[in-house]
Amino acid sequence: MSNSSSFNEFLLQAFADTRQLQLLHFWLFLGIYLAALLGNGLIITAIACDHHLHTPMYFFLLNLSLLDLGTISTTVPKSMANSLSNTRAISYWECAAQVFHFTFFLPTEYFILTVMAYERYAAICKPLHYGTVLSSRACVKMAAAAWASGFLNALLHTAITFSIPLCQGNVLEQFFCEIPQILKLSCSDAYPREAGIIVISACLFFGCFVFIVLSYVQIFTVVLRIPSEQGRHKAFSMCLPHLAVVFLFFSTTMFAYLKPHSLSSPALDLVMAFLYAVVPPTVNPLIYSMRNKELKDALKKLVQLLLLQQQ
């Protein structure tokens, strides 16, 4: 029975076998990664530089963009490097770092999305108390709690996952180090330790999901009572981007982790991981900027300023 410390690398799943397809994969991932860096980077810079956007909603959006950058930077660069150098290997410590950062950024994003639902609820259902319940200090505390919870989650998952003896080799059927794939290599008697933490995390995430659903039930109840069509349209415009991001995040993540075992296959697992780990960080900036006039105006000003500096 071999322990995880008896080998110094894992082998990741490749997207392609032939050299031409490997290079195609590299260029596709490079384009996606640069788009995510540009989109999230512009949003972070616009919010930081425009004092009109120094509000709770944009403060949490800035946090979301930072987390999106962290999530996509955890998985994509290594996959690109492996395709370029025609290898599947990732060192033991690189794998541990990937697990830690992925289980840090993704759950923290989940918590921030939950806080953003509360912010929308306060803005629409409790407008008179908005400035009190979402003061600068309260916003910083909520964001700090989300980041601290994500850090604790990552610490627990990483410590437990890499303390489990592995008996089934070192081949992972995923393009990054994903905990379920590592657990497939574990000895059967060691699995319950990590499974217990996964159940606790699942209950916590389900609680956040219920909170978001209840928040939007209250929000839509209030919005539908607004007499003017313009008022209803404005309220829906404030909520739709957040709802779209939540739906994208939850649908891809839940299907990836809760799909029936009979549907599981290396190819499907690869596609689902791409959908929940790579797609949301790339499209979130588009979702938030498409229907948001304030953000679009700030981005236009920022782009114009950058272009003027280039001349």
Side-chain angles (χ1 to χ4, degrees):
M1 188 179 292
S2 62
N3 193 282
S4 55
S5 59
S6 63
F7 52 82
N8 58 13
E9 68 177 22
F10 292 93
L11 296 178
L12 299 173
Q13 180 78 14
F15 273 97
D17 296 326
T18 65
R19 190 63 189 143
Q20 290 81 4
L21 288 176
Q22 284 176 341
L23 291 174
L24 177 62
H25 162 248
F26 169 80
W27 288 111
L28 283 174
F29 262 40
L30 179 62
I32 290 168
Y33 187 53
L34 290 177
L37 289 180
L38 179 64
N40 287 291
L42 283 173
I43 284 181
I44 291 166
T45 309
I47 293 172
C49 296
D50 193 330
H51 70 277
H52 294 107
L53 302 184
H54 292 177
T55 64
M57 182 175 79
Y58 293 109
F59 171 72
F60 293 125
L61 179 55
L62 184 147
N63 278 265
L64 189 71
S65 290
L66 285 171
L67 291 163
D68 279 337
L69 285 179
T71 301
I72 200 166
S73 296
T74 299
T75 57
V76 169
K78 181 60 182 176
S79 183
M80 287 164 50
N82 277 8
S83 288
L84 197 60
S85 55
N86 193 23
T87 181
R88 294 172 56 197
I90 182 171
S91 75
Y92 179 84
W93 293 110
E94 278 183 306
C95 187
Q98 267 199 348
V99 168
F100 177 83
H101 287 100
F102 196 72
T103 54
F104 172 44
F105 290 122
L106 206 69
T108 305
E109 183 163 342
Y110 196 68
F111 299 142
I112 289 292
L113 286 171
T114 306
V115 173
M116 290 174 82
Y118 175 69
E119 185 276 330
R120 291 294 81 208
Y121 164 80
I124 293 171
C125 301
K126 305 286 183 183
L128 297 178
H129 302 286
Y130 184 82
T132 305
V133 297
L134 285 159
S135 63
S136 297
R137 181 176 291 184
C139 289
V140 169
K141 283 182 179 179
M142 284 188 277
W147 286 81
S149 300
F151 180 81
L152 182 61
N153 176 79
L155 210 59
L156 286 171
H157 278 295
T158 307
I160 291 174
T161 300
F162 286 91
S163 68
I164 292 174
L166 306 181
C167 311
Q168 312 294 328
N170 66 337
V171 178
L172 301 176
E173 295 179 341
Q174 193 51 272
F175 75 94
F176 64 95
C177 286
E178 189 184 42
I179 288 177
Q181 298 299 330
I182 297 173
L183 292 181
K184 287 182 181 180
L185 308 180
S186 69
C187 307
S188 58
D189 59 341
Y191 182 83
R193 280 185 284 176
E194 173 63 17
I197 298 296
I198 290 175
V199 169
I200 293 169
S201 296
C203 291
L204 184 61
F205 294 155
F206 181 72
C208 291
F209 178 73
V210 170
F211 181 88
I212 292 172
V213 169
L214 292 177
S215 295
Y216 272 101
V217 168
Q218 302 247 28
I219 287 169
F220 289 141
T221 302
V222 171
V223 170
L224 292 173
R225 289 177 185 163
I226 297 174
S228 70
E229 187 178 337
Q230 187 179 359
R232 287 196 301 271
H233 181 266
K234 184 180 178 182
F236 278 124
S237 294
M238 291 168 67
C239 298
L240 285 177
H242 178 256
L243 264 179
V245 170
V246 167
F247 175 77
L248 179 65
F249 185 89
F250 278 91
S251 59
T252 53
T253 306
M254 288 177 74
F255 186 79
Y257 285 99
L258 300 179
K259 67 181 181 296
H261 187 70
S262 58
L263 291 178
S264 187
S265 71
L268 182 61
D269 289 346
L270 209 61
V271 170
M272 291 311 304
F274 174 80
L275 288 177
Y276 83 82
V278 178
V279 172
T282 308
V283 302
N284 283 354
L286 288 174
I287 293 171
Y288 268 102
S289 59
M290 258 192 298
R291 297 178 64 89
N292 190 314
K293 188 177 183 303
E294 285 181 323
L295 188 57
K296 278 197 285 191
D297 289 344
L299 288 170
K300 281 178 188 175
K301 286 179 188 175
L302 179 62
V303 171
Q304 287 170 357
L305 183 64
L306 291 171
L307 290 173
L308 283 172
Q309 289 178 346
Q310 292 294 321
Q311 292 175 359

